[in-house]
Amino acid sequence: MNILTIETTCDETAAAVVTEKLDVLGSMVASQEKVHEKFGGVVPEIASRSHLENIVPVIDETLRRAGISPVDLDAVAVANTPGLAGSLLVGLTAAKTLCVALRKPLIAVNHLQAHIYACKVAFKEDIFPCIGLIVSGGHSSLYRCAGPIDFTLLGGTIDDAAGEAFDKVAAMLGLPYPGGPSIQKAALNGNPKKFRFPRPLLDEPDRPAFSFSGLKTAVRYHLVGPGKDVDPAEAAAKLSPQEIADIAASFQEAVVDCLVGKAVQAVKRQAMEQTGMRTLCIGGGVAANSRFRAKMTEMSQDAAKKNGFRLFIAPPALCTDNAVMGAIAVERFRAGLFEPLDLDVFPGLVRN
Ligand code: KG4
Ligand code: ZN
């Protein structure tokens, strides 16, 4: 079985051909990073226009890499939720067009569920049931994943997503977009203990929720002081590279502590409730962060030894947006979950 998966939820145009055994025959990601860099963030209208330019070449190249022709496909899958409306529409329209032309079934992919499924594709292990943690530019959420098509939201961010905080703090520090990799790089030379930024909600262990807005504001106040209408980037421009590195490292450490702490709390809660969930799967762009990966791995080692706890973090290339994780469509194919051709996009509403 060959499924073409299409991903255009935000600013990457991606496609992949995956098999029933989750082998990746071919894949491609066309990043729009350079297009959005000068704006310091994704401009939705420009993103959808870039998808329009990229979608056909990306699908063509993916099929070429896979060494198959369109008639060899058994289904076409596309991420239709959540994401930017204009971006989602380009992928969905391409998928529908292929389905009509090839007379193949259409499969809907939930982008967040796919981020978790990246662990399954990468490690080919039986990851379900598991707790899923998605940390991306738009989401920071914990899920109870009973099976590949049975996800229940436990809780998410009450304000900004972790990646959004990375991007906004990077802009304040005058570091380039996307902020996550820039902060990670700057932090390498910094002291993570130099400044003590807040770790919101960690003192509420029973609450599966995140908050990064206050942390972001704490960095702003650190740069310009409270209540001052000054551009933090102007203030940051007067700092030495070492000072910037120390702020980046201290901020990164605070985000990492929140993510690791909340993941650990969620796992402990499952243990207390005896749900039998001993696996934690993590995906999303922020999960590519090397400090996060190291601390999460370190934290899990004790639990792994004591009670067979398993941790899977998607490999960095499958953390940031890609179409390989759309292999979750294989599960929907098996379950006979196909979509009508009037399928719509659901930018905010997570439907399936
Ligand atoms: O999953 P993703 O590619 O797109 C969304 O679904 O949002 O995540 C993008 C986010 C951006 O905010 C980016 O700054 C962040 O992931 N990111 C990182 C790293 N690489 C990407 N954040 C921290 N450290 C990284 N190495
Ligand atoms: Zn994503």
Side-chain angles (χ1 to χ4, degrees), residues 22-220:
L22 303 183
D23 291 325
V24 182
L25 299 187
S27 76
M28 185 178 174
V29 180
S31 169
Q32 299 178 12
E33 244 167 61
K34 287 274 161 285
V35 184
H36 299 287
E37 197 177 9
K38 56 179 171 292
F39 302 103
V42 177
V43 183
E45 183 59 28
I46 296 177
S48 55
R49 281 166 196 260
S50 298
H51 283 307
L52 264 183
E53 284 166 15
N54 294 341
I55 190 76
V56 173
V58 165
I59 292 173
D60 275 348
E61 176 60 16
T62 300
L63 290 171
R64 195 193 64 76
R65 289 180 187 181
I68 64 167
S69 73
V71 290
D72 300 323
L73 293 171
D74 295 289
V76 181
V78 61
N80 72 324
T81 188
L84 301 170
S87 294
L88 289 164
L89 273 172
V90 177
L92 181 62
T93 307
K96 285 182 182 177
T97 308
L98 282 166
C99 287
V100 171
L102 302 168
R103 294 173 191 247
K104 302 291 175 186
L106 176 66
I107 302 175
V109 165
N110 177 313
H111 177 78
L112 299 182
Q113 297 176 1
H115 267 307
I116 295 300
Y117 200 80
C119 293
K120 169 96 181 153
V121 185
F123 300 105
K124 300 236 172 93
E125 295 249 5
D126 202 2
I127 62 166
F128 297 105
C130 66
I131 298 290
L133 170 63
I134 295 141
V135 278
S136 69
H139 296 84
S140 300
S141 317
L142 280 157
Y143 281 82
R144 186 188 299 123
C145 320
I149 39 183
D150 188 357
F151 288 64
T152 311
L153 182 67
L154 295 172
T157 180
I158 57 171
D159 40 57
D160 292 356
E164 196 179 344
F166 266 105
D167 293 337
K168 287 183 177 157
V169 167
M172 286 184 210
L173 295 176
L175 299 171
Y177 173 85
S182 303
I183 288 194
Q184 176 178 311
K185 195 168 160 214
L188 285 176
N189 305 317
N191 174 3
K193 294 195 177 131
K194 179 86 185 189
F195 307 111
R196 179 77 193 168
F197 292 123
R199 271 98 169 132
L201 302 184
L202 273 189
D203 55 347
E204 295 182 51
D206 291 338
R207 195 169 166 202
F210 299 94
S211 168
F212 295 105
S213 168
L215 173 55
K216 188 184 68 186
T217 308
V219 177
R220 188 191 159 89

Side-chain angles (χ1 to χ4, degrees), residues 252-275:
Q252 176 176 264
E253 201 65 12
V255 177
V256 167
D257 280 350
C258 291
L259 297 176
V260 172
K262 280 292 166 195
V264 170
Q265 287 172 2
V267 170
K268 281 192 177 154
R269 179 119 210 105
Q270 297 297 315
M272 256 162 52
E273 291 172 1
Q274 299 186 325
T275 58

